Every structure is written in structure tokens, then in C-alpha cells.
Amino acid sequence: MANLTISIDDADKQYIAEFCNQIGMTVSGLYNVFTKQVIREGRIPFEIAIDRPNRKTVKALKEGDRIARDPNAKGYTVEELIEEMKSW
């Protein structure tokens, strides 16, 4: 048996470990299932696609475009924007 080392975001690792625990599987087992499925099907067993923005993001983009075209729109400093983002 061979070993495989992968790099993964810490939060993703915790989430996937919790998921596997809930379904009674190890993370190693999950990746073995994935590998067997790739070998059996000769393809990645799920669709890989370009992310499309959700409705909330599209709305925000449209609002940004509207504000950018409005000469009377209030401007913000970088510091103000950073403070606003911290509140999210």
C-alpha cells in the first residue's frame, strides 16, 4: 500500500473529517472511494465547472455598477471599506 500526502485548507480538513465521522468513514477511506470511482469510470466522478455568482453576488455587482456610474454617489476611503468589511 502506498501513502499519499495532500495539502488542504485547515478549515476544509476539519469539515471533511467531521463529515466522514458522521457517515462512519475515515478521510483516507473517502479518498480511496474517490480513487476507485475514478479508476472504474475513467473520469472524475462529478462535474467540474466554472463558478457562477449567486443572486446576492449578482445584485451586489449590479449595485456597484450603478454606483460607479452615479456622479452623486457617496465615495468611500479604503479605510472605510475595510471597516465595513470587518462588520460582515
Side-chain angles (χ1 to χ4, degrees), residues 31-51:
Y31 283 96
N32 279 314
V33 168
F34 170 78
T35 299
K36 294 294 185 183
Q37 194 74 10
V38 168
I39 292 167
R40 184 174 20 266
E41 294 185 21
R43 66 180 188 91
I44 296 174
F46 48 84
E47 183 178 345
I48 298 176
I50 296 171
D51 286 336

Side-chain angles (χ1 to χ4, degrees), residues 12-82:
D12 291 346
K13 180 181 177 187
Q14 181 178 349
Y15 181 84
I16 200 69
E18 290 171 8
F19 170 82
C20 288
N21 186 48
Q22 290 175 1
I23 63 170
M25 176 182 276
T26 64
V27 174
S28 181
L30 175 73
Y31 283 96
N32 279 314
V33 168
F34 170 78
T35 299
K36 294 294 185 183
Q37 194 74 10
V38 168
I39 292 167
R40 184 174 20 266
E41 294 185 21
R43 66 180 188 91
I44 296 174
F46 48 84
E47 183 178 345
I48 298 176
I50 296 171
D51 286 336
R52 294 196 173 99
N54 61 30
R55 289 181 184 142
K56 185 175 181 178
T57 302
V58 169
K59 183 179 175 183
L61 290 169
K62 286 180 180 178
E63 181 181 4
D65 287 343
R66 181 188 58 77
I67 291 169
R69 288 190 303 271
D70 183 355
N72 299 317
K74 178 185 182 317
Y76 295 92
T77 66
V78 172
E79 291 79 17
E80 289 172 323
L81 292 172
I82 291 171

Side-chain angles (χ1 to χ4, degrees), residues 1-18:
M1 175 137 330
N3 288 320
L4 173 66
T5 302
I6 62 170
S7 296
I8 185 171
D9 180 82
D10 291 335
D12 291 346
K13 180 181 177 187
Q14 181 178 349
Y15 181 84
I16 200 69
E18 290 171 8

